[in-house]
Structures are given as C-alpha cells and as structure tokens.
C-alpha cells in the first residue's frame, strides 16, 4: 500500500468513527428521532473496502450501514440530514438511518430487514454480467444474516451465475443481544461453509485494516475479471449498544472484559500507531486530520439541523413512481 | 382483423415477445421459463429469440428470485418474473412487501423497481389447499404495488405490455382456467392503461363488478338474465389495485345496485373493499343492499367430492341477482351441463 | 382487588408464567426471548423459571422458527413464538399460510397446530417503512388462523391465556404503544374467550368498532363527545378473526350508525370488511353511510416531519363522528397537547 | 443384513414400485383426479430407511411421498383412497396425493410446497430432545429443496440443537424439467456443503439398497444416542414424468439415453438378481411375492374406488380444530 493510500485509509476510518461518535454524543438531544445502529469499532472493513471500490461499483447494505455509506464516499451531510429526518436527507426523510442511498456513488440502498438487501445485490451483479462491464456489486452483511435462508439462496444464485459479487460479512459475534453460541453451530467456520457452498471464501481479522486492504486488493480484480464471487468474513466487534448511542456491556449479554479486550484491538489506534512508528505520519498531521474531520462533521450536523422538515402532506407522495 | 383469435396463453407470449424486442433491458426469469412446458406455453420461444442472458431458469429460491428482480430494477432493467402458482410466491413476501413495494417510497423517490410478477391461480383437478390460492386481497392491501387480473386474451396482452413498461412493481395474476380461452387479439403492440376498468356490458338494473375468471361466469349469468328482461351492467375491473372507482361510481349511480364478484376468499377481500367503499361513498344512491360473491372462507379441498359446490359460478350469480331484485325465475337450465366440475373443459385430462 | 394495576407488558408476562406452569408442553421461543430485554419485558424471568429447553433464543430464521412450532404442535406441544416487529414475520408466510393455517384442514382434521404467534406493531420514533406495519388484514384473510388484538392489560392477559390453550394457530398482535398502559388485571388465571367482542361503553347515537391502540383514541374521543351530549357505543373487537358479528349487529341495529377504526392501511382492511358486512347485512338499519378511519394507503415514513399527521387519533374520530351526525362543535381543545407526536409518552426517549 | 431383512426389503421396494405403477396404469381412467408425483425408480431409499425406522419415529415428506409413506408402513388403502378423493382417504379427501398422513406409524405429513415440511420435521425432533426419548425425526427431501433458504435454516437449527434428525435427500438430478446444472454450482457436492454447515453428511448411490441399508443402520443409532443430526444424499433417478403417469424423455429436457442408463440401475432388479445369485430367494418365491402384492394393490384400488366421496358440504368443515 502506498503511503498516500494509507493516509486516505486512516482518514476514512476516522471519518466514520468521528461521525458515529458525533451521533452518539448528540443523540440525547432527541433531535435524531429514529433508531440508529452505530458501527464504532468496525470501521476497518467499511473504510478499506470502500476505498478499494470504484465509484460506479454497486453497494447494498444493512441496518448498520453508516460506515459502509461513508466508506463508499456517500454524502455525510445528507446522511446526517436523513437521520434528523430532514428534506435534505439522502432519502428525503422517508427512510431514516436504516434506509440510506447515494446514487452519486452507486450506494444503492441499505435496508433494515436482516438479509433483505442480499438478493438485491445479486440482481445488480446480474446486470453487470449482462452488460459485460467490469463493475462489482458489494454486499455488506452481519454474521446474523448467515442464519437467514435468503443468504444461502443468494450465495447459490451468485455461484451458479458466477456473478461479480463481493460479500463482506462483518462478524461481530452478536445479533442484537444474542450470542453466536445459540445461533450457529459451535466451531463451524462461516468461511469454510460458504466455500463448500461454491464461493471462494476467506476469514480474516476485521480490525487489521492492512490485511483487509491487502486481501481485498488481491481479490477485487479477480471478481472484476469474471472469476466469480468472493466471500470474506471479518472478525470484529461493535463497541456501542446494538441500537442507540450508549454502551450496554452491563446489561448482561456480554462482558465488560470482552469489550475491553476488543477495544484494545481498535482498528484505528492500531493502524495509527503503526503509521507513527514507521514515520509515515506525524502527530501533528494526525491532529490536523482530526481537527478537519471534526470540523466537517460539525458543519454537517449544522446543515442537517438547519434543513427543514418535510411537510406532513409529503408523506402521501412517492408511493408510486411515474 | 377482429377475427384474429388466439388463446390467452398466446396473447401473453406475444406480449413478452413485443416487450423484449422493444426494450433490451426487459429480462424474463423464473422456475421453468425455458423448459419444454414454458410456463404453460406462455414463455415458449423466448430464450431462443433473446438468449439465455435475458431469459433464464432459476433455482427453487422464490425469495431471492424476487430480490434479484429488484436489484436488476435499480440498474434500469425491467424484470418479468413468474411463479406457476400464487402459493409458491408466499416465500417471497419479505422481498415483495418490505422491498419492492416500498423501495421507491423509502428512498424518497430516488429509485424505482419496474417488475412484473406473473402469478398463476390454480383451480380444479384436486389442486387442493396449497395449489389454488388467489390472494389478490393481500397484494391489493399493500401500498406501492399495482395488481392486475386480466379476464380475456385481449386484456392479457395489453395489460401485460402496460405492466412491463410501468415503473412500479406490478402483480399480474393469471387464472389457469383462462389460459385456454380464445379471443380477439390485435397482432401489434398495444397497451391497456392500468387502473382503467372496462364496461363489458351496459345495463340498468344492477352493476356487477367482476374480475378474472368471474367475468366469464358473469357473462353467462347476464346472458341468461337478459332473456328474462333483466339488464345488468358488467364492469371488468382489470386492475385490482388501484381501483377505478370513477367507472364503478358512475355505474352504481345509474343502477343503484351492486354485486361484486371475486375469486378469492370472501373475508377481507377486494370484493369487501369495493362493497365498503361504495357503501361509504354512494350510500344515498343505493336502492338495495350491496352484495358480493366470493369463495367460502376455508382452504381449498382436493377431492372431487368436496369441490363439487366449492366455486360459485353463473348459477349463483343469477340467483343472487334475482334475490337482490326480488324476482323469481326458474334457473334449472343454468345448472352446469358439464358433469366434471373440476376441469376447465373436457379437453383437460390432468395431471396439472 | 380491582386496584391491582399492572402494565400491559406485565400482564403478558403473567399470562406466560401461568400458561407454562399449568401445562408442561407450553414452550416459548423467538429471537431474544431470553435476552436482557426479554421481548420488551414480556418474557423476562421465563427461562430462569422453566429452563432453557422450554424457553430459548433462536437463530435469525423467521420461516424456520414458525415451521418448528408447527412440528412441535404435531407432537402435542403448544408454542408461543414472537417477533419484535410484525414486519420480520413476512419471511414466514409460507409456513404460516401454506402450513399452520391449513394443517388441520388439509389432513382431514387429524392433527392440529396450537401455536400462538406474538407480533409487535411498531410506531413512532422514526421506525419507518419496515418497522411499523400492522398487517392484521392479511392474517384475517386467511381461513384457519385466528387473530387477536388486545387493547388493555386485562384483555392482554386473558386473551393470551385463551390463545395459548386454543388448538389453532393464533396471531396475537400487540401494539407497542399499549405496552406501557396500566390497567386492572386479576392475579389469577382467567381466559377471555376468542371471537367475543367487548362493549366498552354503551351509547345510542353511533356504534364505534375499534381495535388495539385505536380503542385508546376512541375513548378519548367519546369522553369529549359525551360532554356535548353525543352518546357513542364503543365495541372493542379484541378478536379480529373470526369477528363477533353478533355483538356488532346488535349495536348497529340500535344506533343505526357505524364507524370502524383500524390500525392498518385502509385498502382491503378489516375495517373495510366490517363496513362491507354491515352494509350487506344490515342495510335497512343504517340511517347514514357507514364510515371508517384507518391509516392512509402509503408506507410509513420515518421523519418526524412526515409522520406529524400520519396516524389518525381522537381528533379525527371526533370530527368524523360530528360529520356523520351532521353536528358541529369546536374541537380545538382536542388537539394533541403533546408536541411530540412520535412517542407514546414523554418518558420515551428512543432508540426503539 | 439378515436374510429375513433382505426379503422384507425386497417386498417393500416391490410394494412401492407396484403401487406406483398401478397408479400410472389406472390414472387415465380419470378417477384419480389430483396431481400425482410418482417415485418409480427411487424405491430403494424409501424402503430401506422406512424399514429401519421404528414405528414411532417421525417422518415428514414432500410432494413425491407415496414411497416414503408406504416405506414407513403407511396404510396403502387409505393412501389410494386419498388419491381417489374419498372419505376413507388418509386425509379424508382434503389433501390429495400431495398431503398424506398416517398417525398410526407417525407419518406426520407430506406437503407440496418445496421445503415446507423441513422445519416441521425439526420441530418434531425438538420435542424428542425435550422428552429425552430415543425417537428420530426423518425428513425426506429432493435435491431441489436444497435451493430453498428454509433448508439451510433448518440445517442450522438442527445443528445448533444437535437434534435427532435424519435428512434423506433424494437427488434425482431434476426439479420438474430443470436440470441441476442451472440450479446449483457445477461440481459442488451437496454432502460436503451440508457437512461444512455443521451436520455430518454422506453421499451414496441411491439405487444400491444394500449400501443404503448398511449406512443407515450404522448412523441411525448414533442419531438416537444424541450424536446429532445426519444428512445423506442419495443419487437416484425418477423414471416417469415429474407429475403424472407418463414418461417424458421425449419432450426435451432429458434424454432417452440418460433414462435407459438409469433404468439399468433399477434398484429392485439389482437387488433381486443378487438375492437369486446368492440363493437367498427362489424365482418361485419372487413370483409369489409379486402375486401377493399385486393382489393387495388391486384390493386397495377396489377399496378406494368403492369408498364414497365426501359430501360437498364437508368442504366447509375442519377449518378450525376444536
Ligand atoms: C428479519 C429480521 N429479523 C429480525 C430483525 C431484528 N434485528 C435487527 S438488527 C438484528 C441483528 C442482526 O445481526 P447481524 O446480522 O449480526 O448484524 P449486527 O447488528 O451485528 O451488525 C436483528 C436480529 C430484523 N431487522 N429483521
Ligand atoms: C416453493 C415451491 N416452488 C415451486 C414448486 C413447484 N414444484 C413442485 S415439485 C418441484 C420440484 C422439486 O424438485 P426436487 O426437490 O428435486 O423434488 P423431485 O420432484 O425431483 O422429487 C417444484 C419446483 C413448489 N411446489 N413449491
Ligand atoms: Mg452481528
Ligand atoms: Mg429432484
């Protein structure tokens, strides 16, 4: 990875982190009135994959999609405006945090029913194949989604048609407050399973952004050149509560200790430390990056807060396309 | 040219050919679309003409099938997908309702999903509980879906072309017993606008609102009643959702009486909806209580014995109308001459 | 003892404890039933009391979850399963409709599947298009299902116990905004018979048929109207399918006027069904056109701005009744004093 | 396998074969007025598994279930009466050929939506586990069913709970007129996939009844003793058309040659020849078996034909259980 790329990557991770944390901070103002699923702690995948995808590559995602949206280059102001329920929101306030879209970067939509966007991603990939273009359709999912039948149907369909799909599965060990232990067979490898289903699969540390970048840069060209779909499992951890701005290690489904263990693996801290150690960045530069990002995020919140609410009567529009 | 008569199946097939020729981004997929039976003949020849990339078979994965059509839609493609029975489509309700129906709305109108979903209603020959559901009531209940139910070959072709080029998800329901009906169909492209009902027969004593196969039964009933100087206005709804209330209202204002016919179970049905809407909005125009005829609220049984009186037909329509008009006529002549109530015609010998 | 007041949530919890204690073959499973939140508090303590074999979490597999309850039912077990939102249950329509609803019928009455399916309707705080569907219209349309929608803590407990010990699949729909309502609930076991509506208030000018959270709104409306000498009869339907027409009919015959309230989209709804049925059967008793109030036929938007006037409430009910009765009263006092239309009470601070 | 067992096995296969062929023969009389999915050519699995299951083991099955029903010991007369739509039918005429039940032998139901009965079988197994009984829940499925998401959900659930389930997957290469080639990835092994999903799996020749018997006798006790579910793929072939009494090799989706190849692997003929060669049965005995079975089947047809139709008004009953 070039130094330039590394800085980009760091910036992208930080953008996601700081944006999520800004939502957490301001959520108690009661102005963002919709459920939010923050991805703090999971920024590495979103940033690395997002950076490696081309602008016209397609992305679909899930309820926890802020990072994927920003990673792909989605408009921050419009994302926040959407969470605030404003007309300038990326979905004009109709969708809320769980339904993001940015057609400028082919972020085609995140949806809130577990597994719902998977076959949609496959359909996008089908058109790429028909058009013989070199695009990719990237599908983000959580490990809970593996339990939905539609995941297996989608994998099968993509394998049969050798579609240009990258499955990005962030395994953060939990689905809401349910541990993997009660949802999937013990010691079963998700990647090995998907491999046996017919898609070349990998499983890597989801907090090591270097490795993610490396693996993805190797596999994406293969997908583009028609070698078929790829599936990558990223082992990671969400820091905050399943839904909302707080922490929930005290309520009983996971331990503070486990959380602290994962917090030490902070993908951003790890990466930054390495960059510093290798003299690829200075503390000064980091400060500047942080400051710029915080500034940008503050401006975006201001923009979102100032944007008007859509009129109630607008609710009756947009049911049918013309 | 009005003597160009072809079957409902061929009309569908022609519509598909025309749409796919007209627009390269129309694609067609579903279980068995390219098999020797070609979805009861409706998709025959398509793959040969348009290639395996635009016309292809699917794994037995109904939910994903639907989701794929949404994704293709987002990339500008118009999918025509099909299920040999409505019942199989129950596996795809998440993609249909949480996805297709709301996509345009929940992303603020920024994208849309032009999908046509062909569903076939089974009937007779022991199809039974899981192969003969109609379910338009469900689809009509969901905002964002359009629901179409053609009754003739002519309607089938024009409505299918209109559905394919509509920018919304359209549920296109074909009754298996209509597939072999023959009727006048122009050779060229034509569209029948969605949400436009058709007045099939003019009349003054009562308004009959009907859909799909019930139109066939209604026509028989009306012809019989005509002989007894009872004049019915028959409206073929064609589009079940949204409903063309303009046409219905105008007719009910004239006749003051309403009978709605449906192919679905009665409870919470499109028929109930129309009866309710007219009762609420045209209460003062109604001379008598509005009525409806639909399927009994039970699953469909399989046995020849159990299905004997299961499906209401022309006789039940006539009797209901006589009751509404407080008239009595001998209706014995109307009893089904066909002993085999479970086949669309004597040519049908099973097995499905 | 009538001052034993507990929340709707605790009433549900008590019903589950009682049923599971009474009968070893009652089991309870669903996503998160044993997690710290315990299905919004309703399943708290069950696993500790009855063990992990009878109370357990599930993989995110809604369709299989439902099928498993059918299988357990065939072996004599009564399952209580739950979904935190109605919307998630759309993945299970095959098991529900092609399986559970028809099992008893399609095997000639030889087996039955006693399942209680708890579904929670979301509302407010930006839930949006895929987290606030109601959908009782769908379930009521399917023969073989019973559909229950309690409106008070008292009803919740008695109806849930009755549902669990009913030998059929019962859809038990809880409105999230009722969960924190407090009401009188006896400590011991009691059942409220399914298909039995409750006359909540007696009155003479109009019959209001209502369900679930709309009962709360109706009561507010009626109290206001009472002050202006308008007397309404309020029926809480409680069971949506089959419907207790005996009670409705008796009331409409008395008042001659009907208003039906529903929490679902209006088109092809339970409200339409009731309006239709009454129009067909009691046409001559109706003094004015029957009416209904339900949700607009659009998906639910997320934004605070868009939802401002989305849900009809007591004000709309009052205005509709005044219109029916051709009266006019100043209704300004009725405007929602609560500025925050998107929360059930000021105690609610998100996030879901 | 004891000689006695072998004879039983032969008889069971023949019962299924002759029953199916009798339906094929009489179907054109237009008295069996419902879709029928015959299993001629696939009798080995149904017979061997059926023989090895105990009477109180549970079975659920699919649209193609005549063999599974008879294999388990289901009542022949009632099955035929059901296909004729009569009151004495096992489902009293409500279900038809696609919905069979015989509670006397815990054949809990076959259903006609692909994949529909799978989780039902898992639910039965769950109760076995709760009751700590030594029963098994046996789930029959076709290879097409593998493509339904519910298959994967069911496998996952059974694996997580280590349920006493035997999955019997008859891979006959086709789903209606669709070849496996267009439905599942090339060269993907179903058994290996299911193995990777978390269930011990096998793939064997579905026409070699000896091998089936052997494998199943080894694995069933393991399932009973709590070692978890097992999945077996049986490679086999249906001789007749997908639905109905005829042959359909001429219509274009498969070849006469392929059919003939498989016909040579007739499971019954193979087994009978071996028995004869090993002097474990005589031609005389075979003749007698055939005669008895034909007689039994004829009697059953007579019974079914004579049974009355249910009255039309009965259609309105049985919607709700009391
Ligand atoms: C079909 C469906 N079932 C249940 C839910 C409730 N739900 C919301 S998020 C979530 C967790 C999914 O877990 P995972 O895929 O691992 O994503 P994560 O939240 O861990 O990022 C669940 C179960 C849902 N939205 N959709
Ligand atoms: C959900 C669903 N989709 C489609 C069908 C139509 N259908 C009936 S049988 C069948 C074939 C299934 O193939 P397989 O599981 O291999 O069983 P086989 O017929 O080969 O025994 C199909 C697709 C159905 N019954 N249910
Ligand atoms: Mg997770
Ligand atoms: Mg097969």
């Amino acid at each position: 990875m070039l130094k330039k790329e590394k800085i980009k990557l760091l910036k992208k991770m930080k953008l996601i982190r700081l944006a999520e944390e800004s939502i957490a901070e301001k959520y108690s103002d009661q102005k963002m009135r919709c459920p939010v699923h923050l991805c703090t702690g999971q920024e590495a995948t979103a940033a690395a994959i997002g950076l490696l995808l081309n602008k016209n590559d397609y992305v679909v995602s899930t309820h926890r999609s802020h990072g994927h949206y920003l990673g792909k280059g989605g408009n921050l102001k419009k994302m926040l405006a959407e969470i605030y329920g404003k007309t300038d929101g990326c979905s004009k306030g109709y969708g809320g945090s769980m339904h993001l879209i940015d057609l400028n970067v082919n972020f085609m939509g995140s949806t809130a029913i577990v597994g719902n966007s998977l076959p949609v991603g496959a359909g996008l990939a089908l058109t790429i194949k028909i058009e013989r273009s070199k695009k990719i359709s990237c599908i983000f999912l959580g490990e809970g989604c593996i339990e939905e039948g539609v995941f297996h149907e989608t994998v099968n369909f993509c394998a049969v048609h050798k579609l240009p799909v990258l499955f990005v599965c962030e395994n953060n060990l939990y689905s809401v407050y349910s541990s993997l232990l009660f949802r999937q067979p013990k010691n079963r490898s998700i990647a090995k399973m998907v491999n046996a289903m017919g898609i070349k699969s990998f499983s890597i540390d989801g907090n090591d952004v270097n490795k993610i970048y490396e693996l993805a840069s190797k596999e994406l060209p293969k997908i583009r050149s028609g070698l078929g779909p790829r599936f990558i499992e990223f082992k990671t951890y969400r820091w905050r509560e399943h839904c909302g701005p707080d922490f929930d290690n005290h309520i009983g489904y996971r331990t503070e200790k486990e959380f602290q263990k994962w917090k030490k693996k902070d993908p951003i801290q790890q990466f930054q430390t390495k960059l510093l150690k290798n003299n690829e960045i200075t503390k000064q530069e980091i400060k500047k990056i942080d400051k710029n990002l915080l500034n940008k995020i503050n401006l975006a919140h201001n923009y979102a807060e100032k944007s008007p609410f859509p009129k109630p009567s607008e609710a009756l529009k947009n049911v049918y396309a013309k | 040219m009005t003597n160009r008569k072809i079957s409902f199946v061929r009309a569908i097939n022609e519509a598909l050919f025309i749409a796919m020729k007209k627009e390269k981004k129309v694609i067609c997929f579903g279980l068995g679309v390219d098999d020797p039976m070609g979805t009861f003949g409706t998709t025959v020849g398509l793959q040969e003409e348009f290639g395996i990339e635009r016309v292809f078979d699917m794994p037995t994965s109904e939910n994903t099938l639907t989701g794929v059509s949404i994704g293709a839609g987002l990339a500008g493609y118009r999918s025509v997908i099909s299920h040999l029975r409505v019942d199989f489509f129950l596996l795809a309700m998440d993609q249909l309702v949480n996805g297709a129906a709301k996509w345009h709305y929940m992303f603020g109108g920024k994208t849309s999903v032009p999908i046509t979903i062909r569903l076939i209603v089974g009937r007779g020959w022991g199809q039974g509980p899981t192969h003969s559901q109609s379910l338009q009531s469900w689809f009509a209940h969901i905002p964002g879906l359009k629901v179409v139910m053609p009754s003739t070959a002519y309607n089938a072709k024009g409505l299918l072309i209109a559905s394919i080029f509509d920018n919304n998800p359209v549920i296109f329901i074909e009754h298996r017993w209509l597939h072999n009906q023959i009727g006048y169909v122009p050779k060229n492209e034509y569209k029948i606008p969605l949400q436009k009902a058709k007045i099939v027969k003019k009349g003054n004593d009562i308004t009959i609102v009907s859909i799909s196969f019930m139109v066939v039964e209604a026509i028989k009933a009306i012809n019989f009643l005509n002989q007894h100087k009872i004049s019915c206005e028959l409206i073929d709804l064609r589009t079940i959702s949204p409903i063309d209330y303009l046409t219905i209202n105008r007719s009910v204002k004239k006749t003051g009486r309403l009978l709605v016919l449906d192919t679905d179970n009665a409870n919470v049905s499109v028929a109930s909806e129309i009866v309710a809407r007219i009762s609420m909005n045209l209460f003062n125009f109604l001379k008598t209580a509005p009525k409806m005829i639909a399927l009994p609220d039970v699953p469909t049984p399989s046995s020849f014995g159990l299905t004997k009186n299961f499906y209401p037909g022309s006789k039940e329509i006539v009797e209901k109308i006589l009751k509404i008009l407080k008239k009595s006529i001998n209706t014995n002549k109307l009893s089904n001459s066909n002993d085999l109530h479970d086949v669309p015609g004597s040519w049908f010998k099973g097995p499905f």
Side-chain angles (χ1 to χ4, degrees), chain A residues 27 30 33-35 85 93-94 96 99 112 147-148 177-178 243 310 315 319:
Chain A
Y27 197 77
Q30 306 269 298
R33 299 175 80 82
C34 67
Y94 288 81
H99 299 99
E147 297 147 25
E148 293 286 359
Y177 314 117
S178 297
C243 176
V319 181

Side-chain angles (χ1 to χ4, degrees), chain B residues 31 60-62 83-85 87-91 130-131:
Chain B
L31 276 67
T60 322
S61 309
E62 283 77 6
H83 297 278
L84 293 176
R85 286 287 178 276
D87 316 63
F88 308 159
F89 189 46
L90 283 170
L91 284 157
T130 58
H131 279 65

Side-chain angles (χ1 to χ4, degrees), chain B residues 160-175:
Chain B
L160 184 52
I161 295 176
S163 299
I164 294 173
F165 291 105
D166 193 280
N167 285 326
N168 297 281
V170 179
I171 306 283
F172 190 91
I173 304 181
E174 303 164 26
H175 196 288

Side-chain angles (χ1 to χ4, degrees), chain A residues 37 63-64 112-114 142-145 148 172 174-176 242:
Chain A
H37 301 80
H63 57 289
R64 197 178 305 287
I113 302 290
V114 174
E143 93 293 342
C145 186
E148 293 286 359
N172 61 11
Y174 295 93
S175 165
V176 192
H242 164 66

Side-chain angles (χ1 to χ4, degrees), chain B residues 213-258:
Chain B
F213 188 72
M214 289 310 277
V215 173
V216 174
E217 297 288 347
I219 289 172
K220 277 194 224 159
I222 291 171
N223 288 341
F224 176 86
L225 289 167
N226 277 347
Q227 294 163 25
H228 297 86
K229 309 237 154 29
I230 294 171
S231 141
C232 309
E233 181 136 314
L234 175 61
I235 295 174
D236 177 358
L237 209 49
R238 298 198 296 201
T239 298
I240 301 321
S241 178
I243 288 175
D244 176 6
Y245 278 112
L246 223 68
T247 301
I248 300 176
N249 288 351
R250 205 181 291 136
S251 177
V252 172
K253 280 183 187 166
K254 178 175 74 176
T255 65
R257 292 187 187 86
L258 174 68

